[in-house]
């Protein structure tokens, strides 16, 4: 059975389903902000879009965390899920679906999928021996562990020796098919460095992996043998499928696959690449389902150049960051200052400097000074555009800004999208300085003043539009000061397109539109003087 084909423009995208062993950290926020930005971009383009996020709630790690808190696993999960939902709200995330792996409807999907794989003869009972890292929820090769069998990703935890009967998935059977998938779809795994990592892993030969655990209660029983609990990854990856079922529909595979499948893009961190780029496609091949479009593995964040972790005492709490600086500031920093796909660092000074330079100075000041001039010289309405030649400095930059940022967003090159948009803001500031409309006004050259101000107001609008997937609240403030009744945070409903998908083009600002009084869109962040220099406390 195959799924109904998506229309070429349909865009469905996932974040990983986050473990609920603790409140969300900045790593989960990072992936989610990126996925939100790319979803918002597709909605702007008028593409039917479905953004999926959610939580991965089963397995040993969660079971033990709940035990340590003396809570039932479900009570523990419900509480932590609440903090994920709260953070997504604070960060202005517009997810269409929130997939919880403890949802009863998810069990129905997992069982149906398991059955398909079993019918292919791809599940068998065997003996699993090896070191298991509960932090990773993964068996490890001994050579990949540190001394004393500690896992490099979880250095505080010892990998545990297991020698038990498990069900296995016949991954090895899919070696050739996977290699063909990667060869025929060079963009299936991005960026290129991750693709190479996967190609090299697969070329070493794939081994079957175990998909059940004994001595674990927190999870779904293996349908054929309830003494076994399904391995958390064999359950969690299917959360992407469950998310596709309309809330009013029965949870069947047919209902899940009828509209949004195959998923266009899975965005993940590099640590879970193998699960998404090797195991998952093989599982889908076994079940006879079409392949996802792309898997993008982003880099890891550090703080002040060091790995983040509670034990190292350098965590970065996304909630505190949003409370202090607001959602747009946080979204902008992580998406602009770090090239998506590479590792990146958070340092408070760099954070504040970037926001002040780009959002407060280049963009914020531009909006302010332009609107003030339009008020003073043009009766607070958008002035006539005048005669724009194609060699006009701002038009030259602005005319294909929409296309350039479209390409950047499609490639998840968020930093590049910001740089292109900002270049137009910087050029507008220079243009104002060179053209000095205040002098032309004094000289009585009203036509020149109007032409200059139209060009800059239109550039401001384009910049706001291009940045709206990343800083929707700032973009809304700019748009509203330009006289539009558009809210980039409004939700149109799943699959609905925004009514302003043509705004990516030069010239969308209507002449004569009443402007509002300028209000700072991003006030400069004042840094307190270091102690002992006579500054405030
Ligand atoms: N539950 C699995 C995913 C299952 S998907 C079907 C999982 N969850 S996780 O909560 O541990 O990780 C979620 C995401 O956060 C991963 O993409 C991971 O790469 C990312 N990050 C965790 N720490 C990170 C940083 N320090 N920096 C950037 N991202 C990081 O894995």
């Amino acid at each position: 059975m195959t799924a109904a084909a998506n229309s070429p423009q349909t865009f469905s995208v996932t974040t990983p389903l986050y473990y609920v062993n603790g409140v969300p950290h900045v790593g989960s926020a990072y992936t989610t902000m990126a996925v939100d930005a790319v979803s918002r971009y597709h909605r702007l383009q008028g593409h039917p879009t479905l953004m999926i996020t959610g939580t991965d709630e089963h397995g040993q790690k969660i079971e033990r965390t709940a035990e340590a808190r003396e809570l039932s696993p479900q009570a523990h999960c419900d509480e932590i899920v609440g903090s994920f939902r709260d953070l997504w709200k604070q960060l202005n995330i517009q997810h269409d679906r929130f997939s919880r792996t403890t949802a009863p409807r998810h069990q129905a999907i997992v069982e149906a999928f398991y059955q398909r794989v079993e019918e292919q003869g791809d599940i068998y009972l065997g003996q699993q021996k090896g070191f298991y890292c509960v932090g990773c929820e993964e068996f490890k090769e001994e050579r990949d562990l540190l001394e004393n069998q500690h896992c490099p990703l979880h250095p505080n935890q010892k990998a545990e020796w297991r020698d038990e009967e498990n069900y296995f998935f016949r991954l090895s059977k899919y070696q050739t098919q996977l290699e063909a998938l990667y060869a025929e779809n060079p963009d299936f795994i991005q960026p290129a460095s991750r693709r190479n990592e996967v190609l090299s892993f697969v070329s070493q030969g794939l081994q079957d992996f175990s998909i059940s655990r004994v001595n674990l209660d927190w999870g779904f029983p293996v349908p054929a043998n309830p003494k076994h609990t399904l391995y958390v990854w064999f359950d969690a990856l299917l959360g992407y499928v469950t998310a596709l079922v309309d809330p009013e529909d029965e949870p069947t595979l047919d209902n899940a696959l009828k509209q949004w499948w195959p998923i266009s893009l899975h965005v993940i961190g590099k640590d879970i690449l193998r699960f998404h780029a090797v195991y998952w496609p093989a599982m889908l091949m076994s079940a006879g389902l079409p392949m996802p479009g792309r898997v993008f593995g982003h880099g890891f964040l550090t703080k002040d150049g060091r790995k983040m972790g509670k034990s190292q005492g350098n965590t970065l709490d996304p909630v505190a960051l949003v409370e202090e600086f607001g959602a747009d500031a946080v979204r902008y920093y992580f998406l602009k200052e770090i090239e998506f796909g590479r590792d990146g660092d958070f340092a408070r000074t760099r954070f504040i400097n970037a926001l002040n330079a780009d959002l407060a100075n280049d963009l914020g000041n531009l909006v302010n000074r332009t609107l003030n001039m339009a008020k003073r010289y043009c009766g607070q309405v958008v002035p006539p555009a005048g005669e724009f030649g194609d060699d006009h400095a701002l038009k030259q930059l602005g005319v294909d800004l929409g296309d350039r940022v479209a390409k950047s967003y499609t490639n998840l090159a968020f930093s590049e999208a910001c740089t292109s948009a900002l270049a137009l803001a910087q050029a507008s500031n220079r243009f104002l300085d060179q053209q000095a409309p205040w002098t032309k006004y004094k000289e009585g050259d009203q036509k020149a003043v109007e032409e200059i101000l139209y060009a800059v107001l239109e550039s401001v609008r384009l910049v706001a539009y291009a940045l709206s997937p990343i800083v929707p609240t700032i973009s809304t403030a700019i748009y509203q000061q330009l006289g539009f009744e558009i809210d980039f945070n409004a939700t149109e409903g799943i699959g609905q397109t925004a009514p302003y998908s043509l705004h990516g083009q030069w010239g969308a600002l209507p002449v004569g539109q009443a402007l509002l009084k300028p209000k700072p869109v991003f006030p400069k962040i004042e840094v307190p003087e270091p102690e002992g220099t006579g500054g405030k406390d």
Side-chain angles (χ1 to χ4, degrees):
M1 204 176 316
T2 50
N6 266 336
S7 94
Q9 295 207 318
T10 299
F11 183 72
S12 47
V13 58
T14 66
T15 72
L17 305 186
Y18 300 109
Y19 284 131
V20 290
N21 57 315
V23 295
H25 52 67
V26 77
S28 357
Y30 183 50
T31 328
T32 311
M33 292 186 289
V35 169
D36 184 59
V38 71
S39 308
R40 282 171 178 268
Y41 155 73
H42 279 279
R43 288 192 203 104
L44 275 187
Q45 295 294 96
H47 304 159
T49 299
L50 190 79
M51 178 195 159
I52 297 164
T53 188
T55 41
D56 181 356
E57 306 181 22
H58 287 137
Q60 199 127 45
K61 173 151 77 172
I62 309 299
E63 186 176 65
R64 286 189 186 170
T65 313
E67 229 168 67
R69 297 185 66 209
E70 296 181 0
L71 287 175
S72 74
Q74 192 64 62
H76 162 79
C77 292
D78 291 348
E79 186 189 314
I80 302 288
V81 165
S83 38
F84 275 90
R85 287 190 191 276
D86 290 347
L87 179 59
W88 300 159
K89 205 162 168 202
Q90 281 180 295
L91 277 171
N92 262 322
I93 304 299
Q94 294 185 332
H95 50 277
D96 301 297
R97 297 279 159 82
F98 192 105
S99 193
R100 293 187 61 176
T101 58
T102 52
R105 54 184 22 229
H106 179 56
Q107 184 164 5
I109 294 291
V110 171
E111 285 177 0
F113 187 89
Y114 184 95
Q115 197 186 341
R116 280 206 194 179
V117 175
E118 197 175 36
E119 280 164 8
Q120 289 305 309
D122 286 343
I123 295 177
Y124 64 92
L125 199 58
Q127 192 70 18
Q128 171 76 57
K129 280 189 197 176
F131 285 100
Y132 190 75
C133 171
V134 174
C136 295
E137 293 280 17
E138 189 180 14
F139 277 100
K140 298 277 171 182
E141 295 292 333
E142 212 168 340
R143 62 168 183 269
D144 294 332
L145 295 172
L146 305 173
E147 274 174 46
N148 303 332
Q149 285 79 46
H150 282 240
C151 162
L153 295 176
H154 298 91
N156 302 328
Q157 286 181 37
K158 202 170 172 148
E160 299 168 16
W161 177 254
R162 301 278 162 86
D163 181 359
E164 59 188 41
E165 199 173 56
N166 281 176
Y167 284 93
F168 282 75
F169 171 68
R170 238 180 260 286
L171 180 66
S172 55
K173 178 174 154 189
Y174 293 96
Q175 170 105 21
T176 318
Q177 251 174 283
L178 284 169
E179 283 171 338
L181 169 74
Y182 308 141
E184 285 158 21
N185 303 279
D187 293 335
F188 180 66
I189 304 164
Q190 290 180 329
S193 54
R194 308 266 181 267
R195 173 181 152 82
N196 293 338
E197 218 176 281
V198 170
L199 293 185
S200 138
F201 170 73
V202 174
S203 71
Q204 288 162 33
L206 291 173
Q207 285 175 14
D208 300 345
F209 67 94
S210 83
I211 57 164
S212 76
R213 299 287 177 267
V214 287
N215 305 318
L216 170 69
D217 292 328
W218 187 232
F220 296 135
V222 168
N225 182 353
K227 282 195 203 117
H228 287 247
T229 298
L230 210 56
Y231 173 42
V232 60
W233 274 99
F234 204 86
D235 152 355
L237 286 161
L238 287 163
Y240 297 144
V241 175
T242 307
L244 303 179
V245 182
D246 275 340
E248 60 276 7
D249 279 353
E250 286 289 301
T252 63
L253 277 181
D254 281 346
N255 279 339
L257 302 172
K258 68 184 179 193
Q259 195 186 351
W260 298 97
W261 191 267
I263 300 282
S264 320
L265 170 67
H266 291 300
V267 182
I268 52 163
K270 61 182 181 181
D271 55 328
I272 53 175
L273 184 63
R274 214 172 272 181
F275 292 103
H276 285 81
V278 184
Y279 293 14
W280 181 226
M283 287 161 61
L284 294 170
M285 284 169 181
S286 170
L289 301 187
M291 291 300 111
R294 260 197 297 169
V295 176
F296 192 104
H298 66 68
F300 255 50
L301 302 174
T302 51
K303 178 158 178 258
D304 301 314
R306 287 161 54 222
K307 193 171 178 254
M308 275 185 243
K310 283 189 196 129
S311 54
Q312 288 96 323
N314 68 330
T315 51
L316 180 58
D317 175 12
V319 175
L321 208 56
V322 184
E323 279 171 358
E324 187 173 1
F325 297 105
D328 278 4
V330 177
R331 296 168 64 105
Y332 186 81
Y333 177 81
F334 286 107
L335 296 179
K336 155 78 190 333
E337 286 294 301
I338 298 160
E339 192 188 320
F340 202 62
R342 304 181 84 105
D343 292 345
D345 190 49
F346 175 91
R348 197 177 163 88
T349 316
R350 180 171 162 205
F351 177 86
I352 292 174
N353 288 346
L355 299 172
N356 280 346
D358 295 1
L359 300 182
N361 286 345
D362 287 349
L363 181 59
N365 281 349
L366 173 69
V367 175
N368 220 266
R369 69 197 286 220
T370 314
L371 282 170
N372 268 320
M373 283 187 262
K375 184 168 158 229
R376 218 170 300 142
Y377 309 143
C378 307
Q380 213 169 338
V381 297
V382 177
E387 307 290 312
F388 273 107
D390 279 343
D391 56 349
H392 189 283
L394 293 188
K395 189 176 173 188
Q396 261 184 1
L397 267 182
V399 94
D400 68 345
L401 180 68
D403 288 344
R404 267 181 298 131
V405 297
K407 224 181 260 160
S408 304
Y409 281 118
T410 309
N411 295 332
L412 307 189
F414 303 108
S415 178
E416 189 183 86
C418 292
T419 307
S420 302
L422 218 64
L424 181 58
Q426 288 155 348
S428 301
N429 276 317
R430 281 196 304 272
F431 181 74
L432 280 175
D433 297 343
Q434 285 155 2
Q435 298 291 322
W438 45 91
T439 310
K440 298 213 162 65
Y441 181 73
K442 274 193 209 138
E443 292 164 0
D445 191 353
Q446 182 65 16
K447 196 164 167 290
V449 172
E450 289 174 353
E451 187 174 314
I452 296 163
L453 288 182
Y454 183 88
V456 180
L457 286 165
E458 174 57 357
S459 299
V460 165
R461 184 198 65 74
L462 263 174
V463 175
Y465 187 77
L467 290 179
S468 69
I470 294 175
V471 288
T473 307
I474 292 176
S475 293
T476 300
I478 296 176
Y479 250 64
Q480 294 187 349
Q481 292 184 33
L482 289 173
F484 291 99
E485 281 176 16
I486 283 175
D487 180 353
F488 290 105
N489 285 316
T491 41
E492 311 291 333
I494 293 173
Q496 298 295 301
T497 59
Y500 33 85
S501 49
L502 291 178
H503 277 209
Q505 289 163 18
W506 177 271
L509 185 63
V511 171
Q513 179 158 287
L515 303 166
L516 299 193
K517 234 173 93 194
K519 258 209 296 223
V521 291
F522 190 86
K524 188 165 180 234
I525 303 166
E526 299 295 343
V527 191
E529 299 275 332
E531 272 178 48
T533 55
K536 287 176 275 172
D537 52 340

